Amino acid sequence: MKRNSLSVENKIVQSSSAAKQPKLGFYSSLNQSRMHTVLLDWGRLPHHVVLRIFQYLPLLDRARASSVCRRWNEVFHIPDLWRKFEFELNQSATSYFKSTHPDLIQQIIKKHSAHLQYVSFKVDSSTESAEAACDILSQLVNCSIQTLGLISTAKPSFMNVSESHFVSALTVVFINSKSLSSIKIEDTPVDDPSLKILVANNSDTLRLLKMSSCPHVSSDGCHLNNQLHQDCYNYVQSNTEQAQDNSQEVTDS
């Protein structure tokens, strides 16, 4: 009787373990297939999906991700990724925000200057940062910029740059970009001759010219832009007159 009962128990144990074995094997193979699928999917994501991901990444992280595989590197150079860009320029000792790496700047100028459309420069209070912005502007020969903003996180910045350096750099953009629609150049040494070049090359497209505290722009410089869109003209005039009033108050005091 004992032998019979033991043999029956052994059969039950064997059958139960055999019944469980396929289930473990099934889930194990399923997990392996899922892991394998995930690994494959990251390498085979469509370009537009990777592009969307890249658009949320800071420039440095985007550059690092581009080295993952050839497909991601191709996405890194898609023109849509470079239409809007902000150059962050600062001296680490005087600023709290990260600066765009010089090597990346040169790569952008070399490969993507023609794709830039909405461009801004953020600089700190140092003269070095403002001069670096001017150096980049002077290299944007093959550009088609539509909006341009020069942003100083602290004064004086651009006002410390020599007038000739600033104007020559800005003129490069004015001449080569034939579709400028919006420009913000407050607290800069822009002058009358450079505004003439702006009007001559972009009078049909320019709709917003925001400038104040530009001491080298005279009332004649403001009135020279009769060719501009009327809304833009009025905006320029009001800002220039305000800047002139402010400078007059400083002189009187």
Side-chain angles (χ1 to χ4, degrees):
M1 289 293 293
K2 291 183 178 180
R3 289 183 179 178
N4 291 337
S5 62
L6 287 174
S7 62
V8 172
E9 289 176 0
N10 289 335
K11 288 181 180 179
I12 293 174
V13 172
Q14 291 175 2
S15 62
S16 62
S17 62
K20 292 179 180 178
Q21 189 64 34
K23 291 184 178 179
L24 291 174
F26 171 76
Y27 287 116
S28 177
S29 61
L30 181 61
N31 289 334
Q32 289 179 359
S33 64
R34 284 178 177 173
M35 291 176 61
H36 186 61
T37 301
V38 169
L39 291 174
L40 287 178
D41 284 348
W42 281 108
R44 296 182 180 180
L45 285 174
H47 276 183
H48 71 276
V49 175
V50 180
L51 176 63
R52 188 66 173 170
I53 295 173
F54 274 25
Q55 288 173 337
Y56 287 97
L57 295 178
L59 177 62
L60 188 57
D61 292 340
R62 194 191 309 168
R64 289 169 177 166
S66 68
S67 63
V68 169
C69 62
R70 181 181 298 177
R71 193 178 187 87
W72 286 20
N73 186 264
E74 292 173 355
V75 175
F76 181 74
H77 296 289
I78 290 178
D80 287 345
L81 200 60
W82 301 98
R83 302 204 189 285
K84 184 177 181 180
F85 192 80
E86 181 176 78
F87 292 93
E88 294 183 309
L89 308 167
N90 71 87
Q91 301 301 303
S92 57
T94 60
S95 179
Y96 62 89
F97 63 86
K98 294 182 179 180
S99 182
T100 307
H101 196 280
D103 292 342
L104 286 176
I105 291 176
Q106 289 306 312
Q107 184 176 1
I108 293 167
I109 293 173
K110 182 179 179 179
K111 296 185 177 181
H112 303 292
S113 61
H115 306 144
L116 297 174
Q117 294 183 359
Y118 310 98
V119 181
S120 60
F121 290 82
K122 182 186 289 185
V123 301
D124 60 13
S125 60
S126 65
T127 304
E128 293 83 359
S129 299
E131 288 179 341
C134 292
D135 291 339
I136 296 172
L137 282 169
S138 64
Q139 297 179 67
L140 299 181
V141 178
N142 300 317
C143 60
S144 56
I145 296 175
Q146 295 183 24
T147 66
L148 175 65
L150 304 180
I151 304 167
S152 298
T153 57
K155 295 182 180 180
S157 195
F158 285 105
M159 292 306 299
N160 275 350
V161 178
S162 69
E163 181 182 351
S164 59
H165 187 195
F166 179 83
V167 169
S168 62
L170 200 61
T171 300
V172 171
V173 177
F174 288 172
I175 293 176
N176 291 281
S177 294
K178 304 297 183 180
S179 56
L180 277 168
S181 61
S182 175
I183 305 174
K184 180 181 179 181
I185 45 176
E186 299 174 298
D187 300 300
T188 63
V190 64
D191 60 6
D192 291 357
S194 59
L195 288 180
K196 288 181 180 180
I197 295 173
L198 170 64
V199 172
N201 289 275
N202 298 275
S203 60
D204 294 334
T205 59
L206 192 61
R207 294 295 177 266
L208 177 63
L209 174 54
K210 188 175 183 181
M211 61 178 190
S212 62
S213 302
C214 298
H216 300 296
V217 176
S218 66
S219 56
D220 292 337
C222 178
H223 287 292
L224 66 84
N225 50 28
N226 290 327
Q227 302 174 51
L228 290 177
H229 188 274
Q230 188 62 35
D231 292 341
C232 177
Y233 170 74
N234 290 335
Y235 196 85
V236 173
Q237 187 176 30
S238 63
N239 277 272
T240 306
E241 289 175 350
Q242 179 183 357
Q244 290 173 344
D245 291 340
N246 293 338
S247 62
Q248 185 63 42
E249 291 177 2
V250 173
T251 304
D252 295 340
S253 61

